[in-house]
Structure formats: C-alpha cells, structure tokens
Amino acid sequence: MGKRGLPWPVSAGKERERRAAMMALVPELVDSSRRNPPATTSERRLSVLDRVRLALLAAGLLCVLTGLLPRDEAAANMRRIGPLLLFLASVIVLAELTRQAKVFDAIAHRLAILGRGHYPALFGLCVLFASATTVLLNLDTTAVLIAPVMLALAAPARIPPLPLAMTTLWLANTASLLLPVSNLTNLLAADRVALTATGFASRMLAPQMVSITATTVCLWVWYWRRGRRETDRYVPPEPIRPVNFRERSLFYTTAGACLLFIVAIPVVGDRIGVAATVAALIALAAFAVFDRGALRLSLIPWQLLVFVVGLFLVVPTLSRFGLGDSMHALIGTDSGASGAFRAAAAGAGLSNVANNLPAYTAGEAVIPAQNSDQLLALLIGTNVGPIVTPWGSLATLLCLEFCRMHGVRVPMRRFVLTGAALATVATAGAVTALLMTS
C-alpha cells in the first residue's frame, strides 16, 4: 500500500494535484444536483401543510355536494377565481424556469455589486426594488419574480437569507396600496368607490408612504441591523454571464418572457393571467428545445391551486352560516373614524384567519356603498395586515413556498410575532393617514 492507504505509491505533488482535480469537480456536481435533484422518499410524501390543503378542498367539495353551498354560487365563485388560478399556475412555472436559467442569479449579483459591500446600501436597494415592483406591477409578481432574486443573492454575497426573504414577503403586502394594479383587491375597491386609477392613487398615497416607512423601520430593527448579522460588510460577488450557446439561449429567452409579462401588465389590466400564460409558454418552448429534462410535472404548483379552490368554497359557505353576520357586527356601519378602524382591524384579522381575498369580499358585502373611507380602511387591513400567518395572502404563501424551495428556514414564532407587530403599526398608521387626507 502506498501513502495514505493508496494501492500504489504516489508522490506528495501528485497527491495534491489529484485532490485539486477532485475539488474542481465539486461545484459542477453540486450545480448539477441542484438542477436535477433526485426524488427522495421525503419529497414524494405529502407534508402536513399539503394534507391540510387537500382537506380544505375536500371540505369545500363536501359543502357543494351537501347543498350547504348552492352549486350556482359555487360555480360563480370558480368563474371569479378562474383568471387568478391561471395567473398563479403560469407565473410560478415562469418563475421556476427563469430561476433555472440563472436570470435571477444574474440580477441578484448585480444588485449586490451596486451595494459595494455596505449593508445599509444593499438594504436600501432591496427595499426600493421590492416596493417599486409591488406598486407598479402587483404583489404576486413581487412574490414570484423578486423573491427568487433576493434568495439568490444570499449565497454569493455570504448574506443570511432570512432578511432578504422577509424584505420581499413584507413589502409584497405592505407596498400594495397605491395603484389599482398593485393588488387584485384594489381593483375591486376602486370599482366599488368609483375611483379612476389617478383618483385611487391620490387617496392612497399617504397611507402607502406610511405603510412602507413602517415596514422599512421594522425590517431594519428586527432583521437587518448589526445585531442580526455577523459582519459589517458583505462580499460583492462577480457578475454572472452565460458561458455557451445553450445557456445564452435559455437566459435571454426566459428573461425576455419575464420582460414581456411585466410590460404587458399595464396593458392587459385584469387579464393578467393571459399575459402570464403567454410568457410561461415562451419559457416552456425554450426549455423544450434546449433542456427538456427540466420540464417536470412538479413545476405545476398544485398545492397552491388546491388551497385557493378549497378556500373559495369553504369561506362562502361560512358566510352563509354566520360569517357575514359576524363581519357586520365587527365592522358596523359608522362612516367616521371608529368605523374605519373597526373595518381595518376586522379585515386584517380575518385575512390572517382565512385569506385576504375572501376577507375583503366578506367585509365589502356588509359596508354601505356610501362609506368610502370605511371601505378603503377595510382594503388597508386586508392588504397590509395579512403578514402574521403563512396563509394570510397569496403573496405570503408564494414567498414562503420559494423559501422552502431554496432551503431557507423561516422561524414561525419570530415570523408571527414580528408580523403581528408590523401589521398593527402599519395598518393603524395607514388608516390614520387615510382619514387625515380625506
């Protein structure tokens, strides 16, 4: 036996060369395993949350079969959320393929380079990036497109991923007040109070500024400040560039599909699902040509689709059997400050119990048409408030889903406590700003 148990004699120099060659293969092997991870037994087994989602769908179907929810009403609810389901499925497929093409990694590296190693500068860039995307596009786009960018930033810059994840998750919700396109509930509210896009933005400007300011302060204090990280500076990574024709083709095609989707949002209005589907089909076509092995059924987010369908069957059933009366008792009909704060609190509370979409529709149904301030306060509660529980909004669900995909652990106790504090401060502050500028 040779040196270190080898079956033949090896010189020290050759031994070092052999080890260096083996180490050079490690990044490639790791990258390959990340692109095509093996299907383990734990991955095939349903998680507790998956079982809850399936149970919710089963409960919803049972409500329809037993007549607790009339079939006509159930069908109307499904027609209403059809575009939302199309958007949700398409945009997640688009985001996952774009991530595999390393578009998000390239953007994340550029963002870190702009920060020049300074945490406060990087923090400001991340807040600005997430806020602008939410305001100008919508909160689900921020969750789907920006969350992977933020999470991809952690490893190359050696930054803890949790602050980046929470920046996206919180601002996807709290920065969604300004424009009708920023949130699907905004479209419903703007139509209800008969406001144009400009008029809606004028009413919600002050609440939006207060909400973003509160979120920025809380993010810095609880997740970004010196005591929450290990160093004063981070390491700016090298920029990412595609190295061959295949990588360039996937990179530029998926990046173009995302850009097409973003540009189409102001044009298509409430048909955002169509724009997402077209963009996803472009990305799918590129991978079908250059990397067919990446196309798997697991790209389809069946868990979220099941959850949304079950939610919109169960919550309307509950509304028929006391939820509507409870919302009326909680919100009241006062058109003044008391009614506005009650509406916001009820909207935020029900959003974290159920979800912000059914919470808004349940609250809207009991608010008199002439109480515009009360309705907009309800909107603030359902937009800013659902950051306490994982199911509070689709954006929250999406962000946490991407955290799971990237192996980022989000401590639930800390998530709930800090979310509850921010939801209380930001909602109260935004409603106060709404009343002061009305």
Side-chain angles (χ1 to χ4, degrees):
M1 298 292 288
K3 189 176 180 179
R4 296 185 183 271
L6 293 172
W8 58 83
V10 179
S11 67
K14 290 184 177 180
E15 173 70 6
R16 284 194 296 270
E17 290 177 3
R18 185 182 67 84
R19 290 185 179 181
M22 291 295 293
M23 291 302 294
L25 291 174
V26 171
E28 183 177 346
L29 293 172
V30 172
D31 185 60
S32 175
S33 66
R34 286 178 178 174
R35 287 197 307 266
N36 300 295
T40 63
T41 303
S42 61
E43 287 176 337
R44 289 194 296 265
R45 188 184 303 124
L46 291 176
S47 67
V48 174
L49 187 55
D50 289 341
R51 293 175 184 176
V52 170
R53 290 162 172 161
L54 290 170
L56 184 65
L57 176 62
L61 294 174
L62 189 62
C63 291
V64 177
L65 292 174
T66 58
L68 294 175
L69 181 65
R71 294 191 179 186
D72 291 344
E73 186 175 344
N77 286 336
M78 292 302 100
R79 285 192 296 270
R80 187 179 188 187
I81 68 169
L84 177 62
L85 296 176
L86 180 65
F87 164 76
L88 192 61
S90 300
V91 82
I92 289 182
V93 170
L94 173 64
E96 176 58 20
L97 293 178
T98 305
R99 182 188 69 82
Q100 291 189 35
K102 297 187 177 179
V103 175
F104 294 142
D105 297 79
I107 297 173
H109 282 227
R110 290 292 180 183
L111 200 65
I113 291 168
L114 283 175
R116 297 180 179 274
H118 300 284
Y119 271 103
L122 180 65
F123 173 66
L125 287 169
C126 290
V127 168
L128 181 62
F129 191 29
S131 299
T133 307
T134 303
V135 168
L136 298 175
L137 302 178
N138 64 61
L139 75 167
D140 297 317
T141 304
T142 298
V144 170
L145 298 182
I146 306 306
V149 172
M150 296 290 194
L151 294 173
L153 179 61
R158 302 173 190 173
I159 301 171
L162 185 59
L164 297 164
M166 293 305 298
T167 299
T168 311
L169 191 152
W170 277 359
L171 286 169
N173 290 281
T174 61
S176 67
L177 291 173
L178 186 60
L179 300 177
V181 73
S182 304
N183 198 324
L184 293 175
T185 54
N186 294 3
L187 294 170
L188 300 175
D191 181 65
R192 174 71 182 273
V193 296
L195 285 173
T196 64
T198 304
F200 184 88
S202 177
R203 289 298 314 275
M204 302 304 287
L205 176 60
Q208 181 65 96
M209 296 303 296
V210 169
S211 177
I212 290 178
T213 300
T215 306
T216 302
V217 171
C218 290
L219 279 170
W220 181 261
V221 171
W222 289 324
Y223 290 97
W224 280 83
R225 64 182 170 85
R226 178 67 177 85
R228 297 296 182 182
R229 46 187 164 82
E230 298 175 357
T231 59
D232 288 323
R233 293 177 61 86
Y234 66 90
V235 180
E238 294 295 321
I240 288 181
R241 297 182 180 90
V243 297
N244 55 46
F245 177 74
R246 173 188 162 277
E247 287 191 5
R248 285 194 297 270
S249 299
L250 290 175
F251 183 93
Y252 290 115
T253 303
T254 54
C258 286
L259 183 61
L260 175 65
F261 168 58
I262 292 170
V263 171
I265 288 174
V267 178
V268 298
D270 59 354
R271 295 185 178 180
I272 189 174
V274 176
T277 301
V278 172
L281 289 174
I282 294 172
L284 285 167
F287 271 84
V289 174
F290 296 105
D291 190 4
R292 189 170 297 179
L295 301 180
R296 304 180 303 274
L297 285 176
S298 59
L299 289 172
I300 301 173
W302 67 266
Q303 299 96 330
L304 293 180
L305 301 180
V306 162
F307 176 80
V308 173
V309 172
L311 195 66
F312 275 82
L313 292 176
V314 171
V315 173
T317 305
L318 296 177
S319 295
R320 294 175 58 84
F321 293 91
L323 179 60
D325 294 336
S326 299
M327 288 298 290
H328 188 275
L330 288 171
I331 293 175
T333 57
D334 184 2
S335 61
S338 174
F341 280 106
R342 288 176 62 179
L350 184 58
S351 293
N352 286 295
V353 171
N355 182 269
N356 69 327
L357 287 174
Y360 174 80
T361 55
E364 181 190 66
V366 302
I367 293 178
Q370 66 273 17
N371 290 11
S372 60
D373 281 352
Q374 192 177 28
L375 184 73
L376 293 176
L378 170 71
L379 182 69
I380 290 172
T382 56
N383 283 19
V384 176
I387 52 174
V388 182
T389 58
W391 53 83
S393 72
L394 285 176
T396 302
L397 278 169
L398 289 167
C399 287
L400 292 176
E401 180 72 9
F402 284 118
C403 287
R404 183 190 65 79
M405 290 168 57
H406 285 76
V408 177
R409 179 178 172 272
V410 180
M412 274 298 111
R413 183 173 181 273
R414 186 177 175 191
F415 175 86
V416 170
L417 292 177
T418 57
L422 173 59
T424 301
V425 172
T427 300
V431 173
T432 301
L434 174 72
L435 297 174
M436 291 179 64
T437 55
S438 62

